Amino acid sequence: MVGKFISFEGPEGAGKTSVLKVLIPRLQAQYGPQLLVTREPGGTDNPVAEAIRDLVLSPDYPTMDIRTEALLYAASRREHIQKTIKPALVANKIVLSDRFVDSSIAYQGAGRGIGFEAVRKLNDFVLEGFLPDCTIYFDIRPEVGLARIKAHRQNEINRLDLDPIEFHQRVSAGYHQLAKQDPKRIIIIDAEQPIEQVIEDAWQVVNRILKMEE
Ligand SMILES: Nc1ncnc2c1ncn2[C@@H]1O[C@H](COP(=O)(O)OP(=O)(O)OP(=O)(O)O)[C@@H](O)[C@H]1O
Ligand SMILES: Cc1cn([C@H]2C[C@H](O)[C@@H](COP(=O)(O)O)O2)c(=O)[nH]c1=O
């Protein structure tokens, strides 16, 4: 595989989507159709993964079993990798994904309390060793991220945004543990800075990765 795969990770309201909105036109100007922007759960031009997204994020199922939830994210990811990400990388594209497997480890493993190892094992089956070349972690205190969402996105609150603050604190601790375990892949940026600085920091990381030789 020859392209580059970069995932964007972080708690709710960290600014991933806002930063991507600015980086996409910049990268399109440089790379044109060689750029693919996608997301999890779900995936660009991936109806199966998007159908699972609708199901797993629906506020209609507040009592979904936590392992069922982990399986749905994993199933969506498998489809995303096989049908969207790997074909793009084979075609030498740059793939940017708003969330990937670290979300499962942090949210299901740490947040829901299933445990890192169980969620890792489940995702080993899905990933078969496949991981992003780089992951940009948007570091923000969960209360700050949630306050941003409450202030700006009342109409978009999903099932997870309704979880108690303790859940989001466990997610945040899970991400920090992951970043400690894999400091080479996971690059931390301070997402509490003014948006312009967060964009600049993410831009520097993306450029560094794209300019790296195979
Ligand atoms: N650095 C920043 N400072 C202040 N506000 C910000 C900053 N970054 C993003 N925001 C605002 O916070 C809100 C959430 O941002 P955004 O949707 O980009 O986060 P996200 O990481 O994609 O969240 P989620 O994963 O929950 O979808 C938006 O209203 C956005 O304008
Ligand atoms: C991939 C993935 C995602 N989640 C959660 C994290 C967020 O609360 C939602 C996605 O919403 P967004 O606004 O599109 O970021 O899904 C998760 O719990 N586990 C996962 O593997």
Side-chain angles (χ1 to χ4, degrees):
M1 239 167 287
V2 281
K4 287 273 190 243
F5 176 31
I6 304 175
S7 60
F8 286 55
E9 290 282 358
E12 313 296 314
K16 303 176 299 299
T17 312
S18 306
V19 168
L20 272 167
K21 267 189 199 147
V22 177
L23 298 198
I24 291 165
R26 288 190 195 174
L27 290 166
Q28 271 166 343
Q30 283 186 40
Y31 298 99
Q34 285 305 100
L35 179 70
L36 175 76
V37 183
T38 186
R39 66 171 180 183
E40 287 205 355
T44 299
D45 294 330
N46 192 319
V48 174
E50 283 290 318
I52 300 173
R53 178 188 176 93
D54 291 343
L55 175 64
V56 75
L57 293 184
S58 168
D60 295 344
Y61 310 111
T63 59
M64 185 185 288
D65 175 77
I66 57 175
R67 286 183 181 232
T68 304
E69 185 190 36
L71 284 161
L72 287 173
Y73 283 116
S76 160
R77 178 162 306 122
R78 176 69 188 180
E79 197 68 15
H80 191 209
I81 294 169
Q82 295 303 111
K83 300 285 167 58
T84 303
I85 300 174
K86 280 190 175 171
L89 293 176
V90 167
N92 202 22
K93 292 193 181 184
I94 297 157
V95 180
L96 305 183
S97 184
D98 190 343
R99 299 191 180 280
F100 193 64
V101 66
D102 300 304
S103 284
S104 280
I105 314 279
Y107 280 80
Q108 282 64 59
R112 295 280 185 237
I114 296 174
F116 265 40
E117 283 323 305
V119 178
R120 270 212 177 105
K121 261 193 197 153
L122 168 64
N123 278 279
D124 283 350
F125 177 70
V126 166
L127 298 168
E128 298 182 284
F130 179 74
L131 276 177
D133 295 293
C134 172
T135 296
I136 304 179
Y137 174 59
F138 286 64
D139 192 23
I140 188 170
R141 286 166 295 167
E143 335 50 281
V144 178
L146 290 171
R148 284 181 185 171
I149 289 181
K150 287 200 181 101
H152 301 287
R153 279 205 333 219
Q154 269 308 325
N155 55 339
E156 264 186 59
I157 299 226
N158 68 35
R159 192 159 60 82
L160 284 159
D161 297 328
L162 301 173
D163 279 307
I165 185 67
E166 292 75 17
F167 168 79
H168 295 285
Q169 282 162 345
R170 288 193 298 274
V171 170
S172 169
Y175 270 127
H176 285 129
Q177 200 177 328
L178 275 171
K180 235 187 197 164
Q181 288 173 354
D182 198 351
K184 224 174 144 214
R185 174 176 63 88
I186 303 178
I187 310 295
I188 302 175
I189 64 176
D190 177 1
E192 290 193 23
Q193 302 176 98
I195 184 77
E196 296 75 20
Q197 190 58 50
V198 182
I199 291 165
E200 183 53 30
D201 289 359
W203 180 239
Q204 296 297 332
V205 176
V206 168
N207 270 297
R208 182 155 53 79
I209 300 302
L210 297 185
K211 287 187 171 54
M212 268 181 193
E213 293 304 316
E214 284 301 304

